[in-house]
Every structure is written in C-alpha cells, then in structure tokens.
Amino acid sequence: MKLDTKHLRYLTADDWRVLTAVELGSKTHLSVPTPLILKLSKLRSLSHVQKSLWSLSKAGLVSTVRGANYEGFRLTYGGLDHLALHAHSKGNVVYSVGNQIGTGKESDIVAVAPPPLSSISSSSTKAPSRPGTLIDPNINEPKETQYALKLHRLGRISFRSIRTNRDYLHKKSPQQSATWLHLSRLAALKEWTFLSVLHASGFPVPQPIAHNRHTLVMQLIEGFPLRQIASVPDPAGLYGELMELILRLAKWGLIHGDFNEFNILIEEDQVWGEEGRDVFGAEKGRSEVVESAQERSENMINEVEQEPYSPDTPTASTLPPHESEEAGPDTTPIAVTPTSAPIVAAAAAAAKATKATTIKLTPIIIDFPQMVSMSHPDAKSYFERDVNCVKRYFSRRFGFTSDEPGPFFEDALRTVGKDGAKRLDVEAEASGFSKKMAKELESYITQVGGDREAEKDQDAEEDEDGGGLEEGVGDE
C-alpha cells in the first residue's frame, strides 16, 4: 500500500489514544478485543472507544479480523504509518510529506521536509525519549533541504509461499502475533543500527536522521540507481571502487548481502580546478579554492599599491588574449590601464581556478536489512554473491570484464580488524539489535531470498531483451 496522509490532520486526541492502544494490544493479540482497547487507551467510556474505532476503521487505519469469536481489531500498515509520522512530527523531524520517489519490493521511499526554524521552540530541539530517534543536533538549521522517508513493508512480495514455509509464523508466542508489522519493525531497527555505525565510520551511506517504528528518515541522495545508468566514462574505475567498498566492509567485519545495481546510488560530484582536484581523496572544496584565489588577488593588488609604476607593467595590448577574455562574452569590456592590469590578471586567475574541470561519480550504498557479519556461518556465500553481482552487471550493462580474479573471501577474512579497523558487527549488536532479533529477521530473508533472486534475474533478462531503463528508484 502507498502512504496516505490525508487523514493525519483530522485525527482527534481520542483517536490517537485508541490507535496507540491497538498497537500495544497487538503485541499479545492478533485481534485486540474492544475491552482491552478501552483499558489501554484509558478513555472515559466504551462509547468513546467505539466512536474512535469507527473513524479509524473508515480511514483504513485499523481493521476487523474475520472469523473471530469476539469483536476485535488489528493495526494495518496505514495505522502504523500514521503513528510513525505522528512521532516524527512531534520530534520536529518531519514537517511535510512530498511525493513517493521510489518503490522497492518491500519498502517505499517518500520525500519529506523538516520543519522551518521559526516553528520550533528552543525547548523542542532536544531528542525525543524514544532511543535512537535523533542523532543530528543540527537538523533544524534554516536551510532548504529534503529528507528521504523509508517505510518498510515486509510481506508485500511473495507472502503466499512464506506463510506456508516459515515455521515461526505458526508459533503462538506473543511476539509473533503481529507477524508482518513486527518484522517490518525489526528490519527498520536493523537498517537504522547499521546505517548509524557505517555513517559514523565514514562509509559512503546516507546520513541517518531519525528512526521510529518501521520508518527511517535519512539524507536524500541526489543521484540515480546504478541500474538506471546506461553508460559511465570509466567502467574500470567504478568497478574497482565498488570492489574496494566490498573489501572495506569486510575489513570492518560486515558483508552487505545484497550488493547489486538496485542498492547502489551514483552521485555526480563536480571536481574543481587543479588546486581543488578531488580524485578519491579530496584536499580542497570549492569554497577553499575560491578563498585561495581571492587571497592571490588581494596580494597582487597590495603589491600594485606598494610598488611604483614602471614601463614594464603589462597593458591591454600586452596581456595574453586568454587572460583578457576571462570575463566572458556577456560582460562589458574593461579598459585595462597600466595600474589595473595586475588586478584584471588576478581576477582572471580566480575565475579560472573556480571552473569545474570534470565530473566524479561517487557510489552510495543503501539498503541494509540483510547485512551480516563476517563471522556468520554463511558469510562466504554472501560475500561471493556480492562480488558476482557486480561482475555480472558490469559485464552485461557496460561490457566490462576484469582481468584480475577475485576478490576472494579468504583474503578478505584475513583483513578483518586489521590496521585499526573496528568490528562494526560487534558494535551494531551492542547498540541494541540483539542476536535474537537478527535470527528472527534472517529467517524471513532466507525464505524470500530465492524469490527475490528469481525476480531480479527476470528483470535482467527483460533489460537485455528490451534495452530500456526503469523510471523508479531501485530496491531500497
């Protein structure tokens, strides 16, 4: 289902209390009885609860369970979406919701905007009480920006076979009664955990902003999925950079598990003049280049003011043609006098230094619910699958095949924790995503893995036959 926020502004305080009560009751009941909703919501009477339930049911935020022996309600994805957005709004993270910008097999991506600074009081900039909700203290800066809201929707694809294959769905433990909503929460928690530790360690991932229930708010990357790119100027360079990312993740104890063209965004960065050259290790940004050019201009002007005029000073006729034309065709010609000639030359040098020289393609990794540790029992198969996905795609789309074999799992395993690299898998587990949660989510990923790989192979065959590019964002 798509995110529908038209009912968000019309819900009353009683509606929010009842919706929250249904969510709490879902932890122990597949269908939450009305008396339990009354008890959890702490409303005055049953009639108030029934009125709110009728409104919520009409909006599609709760639904009744057919065949139940009692009157009960369950939470829908729409209700969970409203609860998460309400929490983000109260936490001054999300102010408005835009268009849907991407659809994955088990997630939706929506553009959202933070609140303006004028609408935030000084007391509301504190992080909400929910753990791991806000990590960027400067998200309320007065800047025009957008964020990406990711909503996990586990169970939307291939759910028919999974319900018969997954054993733990048939267990009657309280933790499994919520099924898909519960798994979506686990997937969001795992992605938030790994996204936070990866960003803090300097990996090319979106900046995490906030997390609540089955949603994540993160930096909106101005790029395109690798799947949508028809050609690149240097396939060998991009291929080598992606292999370096796989090895770098392994060195820090992690394997992506789904490292393919769907989960790699390509961002275009402008590389400035020689002083601002930024090829795989930037030394100066554009602002620093401009400052250095301005400093040279000021130094040359000071020298002109201090030194007396001499006949050797360049005039308009002695200036090189390319320096006298640096102002551009749309500007008014400047009369160059003997005293102003160095100033014009300095301005020309500043303009030349700030010109963009080339475009750099930067890969950004997304989608982390399936990420595993290098110590996982099936780590070798996950590692080799990531490597083969990149090799197969570059051979099919760009016609590039590397002459060098590998990289190999055995070589990557020897580098784990070396040269001061931290074990991010251990750090992620210590941050709240327990082994029990990982095992529960991994059972789901194992069951849907075959179906997802089959669908991706089918999409690849369609690309080869039709040669077209999709318009949607990849499988984030």
Side-chain angles (χ1 to χ4, degrees):
M1 62 168 297
K2 292 184 178 181
L3 178 64
D4 186 5
T5 60
K6 63 183 178 181
H7 301 287
L8 191 61
R9 66 178 64 185
Y10 301 112
L11 296 183
T12 63
D14 289 349
D15 294 339
W16 287 116
R17 295 175 71 93
V18 171
L19 192 61
T20 304
V22 175
E23 181 190 26
L24 294 175
S26 299
K27 296 180 179 180
T28 56
H29 293 75
L30 182 62
S31 177
V32 187
T34 306
L36 181 60
I37 297 175
L38 173 62
K39 180 180 179 180
L40 295 175
S41 63
K42 298 181 180 180
L43 293 181
R44 294 184 296 273
S45 63
L46 184 61
S47 61
H48 289 81
V49 173
Q50 291 176 338
K51 179 181 178 181
S52 295
L53 286 173
W54 181 85
S55 301
L56 296 174
S57 179
K58 185 178 180 180
L61 307 186
V62 298
S63 64
T64 57
V65 179
R66 296 180 180 178
N69 297 327
Y70 56 90
E71 182 185 17
F73 295 84
R74 66 177 182 87
L75 191 67
T76 64
Y77 265 122
L80 195 63
D81 294 343
H82 277 63
L83 287 171
L85 285 175
H86 186 65
H88 287 312
S89 176
K90 292 294 184 181
N92 291 322
V93 176
V94 174
Y95 179 75
S96 60
V97 179
N99 297 328
Q100 183 169 320
I101 58 178
T103 302
K105 289 181 174 62
E106 292 166 349
S107 63
D108 291 332
I109 313 297
V110 180
V112 296
L117 185 63
S118 58
S119 64
I120 305 174
S121 62
S122 59
S123 60
S124 63
T125 56
K126 297 181 181 180
S129 58
R130 182 178 294 274
T133 302
L134 189 64
I135 67 170
D136 186 2
N138 299 318
I139 66 168
N140 295 325
E141 292 180 354
K143 55 184 178 181
E144 296 181 0
T145 185
Q146 286 185 340
Y147 297 136
L149 173 68
K150 181 173 182 178
L151 303 101
H152 286 267
R153 305 257 193 244
L154 270 67
R156 183 168 61 185
I157 299 297
S158 306
F159 64 92
R160 293 184 179 89
S161 61
I162 298 166
R163 286 190 178 275
T164 58
N165 294 334
R166 287 166 60 230
D167 295 334
Y168 61 87
L169 272 183
H170 303 288
K171 297 179 181 179
K172 296 183 179 180
S173 61
Q175 295 180 353
Q176 296 300 336
S177 60
T179 60
W180 300 124
L181 301 184
H182 175 69
L183 291 173
S184 296
R185 287 170 172 268
L186 293 182
L189 175 60
K190 181 176 182 180
E191 182 161 15
W192 167 262
T193 302
F194 282 103
L195 187 62
S196 301
V197 297
L198 288 172
H199 183 269
S201 301
F203 281 85
V205 298
Q207 180 184 3
I209 304 298
H211 160 250
N212 189 276
R213 293 176 173 86
H214 67 309
T215 65
L216 288 89
V217 181
M218 65 188 78
Q219 174 190 3
L220 180 62
I221 301 297
E222 299 292 340
F224 298 92
L226 182 59
R227 175 183 172 83
Q228 295 183 6
I229 298 179
S231 62
V232 293
D234 183 16
L238 182 59
Y239 172 86
E241 194 167 356
L242 293 177
M243 290 301 174
E244 286 294 331
L245 278 176
I246 294 177
L247 292 175
R248 185 182 172 192
L249 284 171
K251 185 177 181 179
W252 290 67
L254 295 175
I255 301 174
H256 187 276
D258 202 11
F259 198 84
N260 53 54
E261 65 273 17
F262 297 91
N263 298 324
I264 300 173
L265 300 180
I266 302 299
E267 188 178 30
E268 292 185 355
D269 295 328
Q270 289 184 340
V271 181
W272 303 96
E274 293 184 357
E275 293 195 9
R277 194 170 300 280
D278 184 11
V279 181
F280 305 108
E283 295 181 358
K284 289 186 177 182
R286 182 178 186 277
S287 60
E288 294 175 306
V289 175
V290 174
E291 290 177 0
S292 63
Q294 291 176 348
E295 290 177 359
R296 291 202 308 271
S297 302
E298 293 176 358
N299 293 335
M300 297 182 68
I301 293 174
N302 293 333
E303 291 178 1
V304 171
E305 293 177 350
Q306 294 175 2
E307 296 181 0
Y309 166 75
S310 74
D312 297 332
T313 303
T315 62
S317 60
T318 60
L319 281 175
H322 70 278
E323 292 186 1
S324 60
E325 297 173 357
E326 284 293 342
D330 298 332
T331 57
T332 305
I334 301 175
V336 182
T337 63
T339 306
S340 63
I343 302 176
V344 175
K352 185 176 180 180
T354 57
K355 284 188 175 181
T357 59
T358 185
I359 298 296
K360 173 189 171 185
L361 301 181
T362 304
I364 308 295
I365 314 172
I366 58 174
D367 196 27
F368 307 100
Q370 68 289 324
M371 182 167 277
V372 297
S373 169
M374 282 290 289
S375 58
H376 190 275
D378 298 324
K380 183 177 181 180
S381 63
Y382 285 120
F383 182 88
E384 293 176 350
R385 187 176 68 179
D386 286 354
V387 172
N388 292 331
C389 282
V390 177
K391 288 186 175 182
R392 183 169 58 250
Y393 183 77
F394 269 72
S395 176
R396 183 178 69 246
R397 175 57 63 90
F398 305 127
F400 172 80
T401 303
S402 177
D403 297 332
E404 298 181 1
F408 300 103
F409 175 76
E410 291 75 12
D411 299 333
L413 188 61
R414 287 192 288 267
T415 64
V416 176
K418 302 294 183 180
D419 301 329
K422 297 186 297 183
R423 291 293 300 266
L424 295 184
D425 51 345
V426 178
E427 184 176 340
E429 182 180 345
S431 63
F433 191 79
S434 63
K435 291 183 178 180
K436 183 178 180 181
M437 295 178 180
K439 184 177 181 180
E440 191 173 345
L441 184 60
E442 184 182 344
S443 300
Y444 168 81
I445 296 175
T446 302
Q447 294 296 334
V448 302
D451 296 330
R452 295 181 65 181
E453 290 299 323
E455 291 178 7
K456 289 178 182 178
D457 292 339
Q458 183 179 0
D459 293 340
E461 293 176 359
E462 292 176 357
D463 283 348
E464 291 178 351
D465 296 337
L469 296 179
E470 287 188 351
E471 295 181 359
V473 176
D475 182 23
E476 186 180 357

